[in-house]
Amino acid sequence: MRQGHANLRVNDKVEVIAGKDKGRVGKILRIENANNRLIVERINLIKKHQKATEATQSGQIIEREAGLHISNVMLVCPECSETVRVGKKLLEDGTKVRMCKKCKATIESAK
């Protein structure tokens, strides 16, 4: 059974509302619907110790983003710049769009 989370999309600006990075804002890089996690740019950084793969390449410590659970982030509205809940609205032409619950502005997906 696929869970998914249609309220958040790649390139959306989100704020972390729980955990060690609480209060930090970043852009969504990747969404993993299978386990309800997402990768946010420069948030929840971990150090990965990488072994040398060839004789010429030395081992190194790589800093990269780890996954966050979807429930630990909230969308930042581009209009009112606040963390908001997301609603759905049906336009006159029949398309369904996301809308900010605070300022009622439509949230366009940044491509």
Side-chain angles (χ1 to χ4, degrees):
M1 185 171 156
R2 189 170 168 223
Q3 294 284 321
H5 206 278
N7 294 342
L8 297 174
R9 299 196 180 131
V10 174
N11 291 330
D12 279 347
K13 203 165 137 184
V14 292
E15 182 177 327
V16 181
I17 59 171
K20 67 175 186 175
D21 291 319
K22 181 177 179 178
R24 293 189 56 202
V25 177
K27 185 176 78 169
I28 296 177
L29 299 176
R30 191 170 77 239
I31 298 176
E32 298 169 358
N33 284 327
N35 49 7
N36 287 329
R37 297 183 84 75
L38 43 88
I39 309 294
V40 182
E41 188 176 40
R42 305 297 301 158
I43 304 285
N44 198 21
L45 293 173
I46 59 163
K47 291 185 188 305
K48 182 180 188 320
H49 294 257
Q50 187 167 5
K51 208 171 178 181
T53 55
E54 302 168 11
T56 57
Q57 182 198 6
S58 61
Q60 55 191 337
I61 300 173
I62 298 171
E63 199 170 41
R64 67 178 185 93
E65 296 95 355
L68 284 170
H69 196 268
I70 286 177
S71 66
N72 292 336
V73 297
M74 272 185 96
L75 184 71
V76 175
C77 176
E79 296 293 320
C80 59
S81 299
E82 293 186 44
T83 56
V84 294
R85 291 186 300 145
V86 180
K88 302 283 182 170
K89 182 165 58 173
L90 201 61
L91 299 178
E92 292 80 34
D93 61 351
T95 57
K96 194 186 287 189
V97 293
R98 299 179 297 161
M99 62 170 261
C100 170
K101 289 272 194 166
K102 284 188 182 172
C103 67
K104 306 292 187 227
T106 60
I107 300 168
E108 299 297 322
S109 293
K111 298 270 193 263

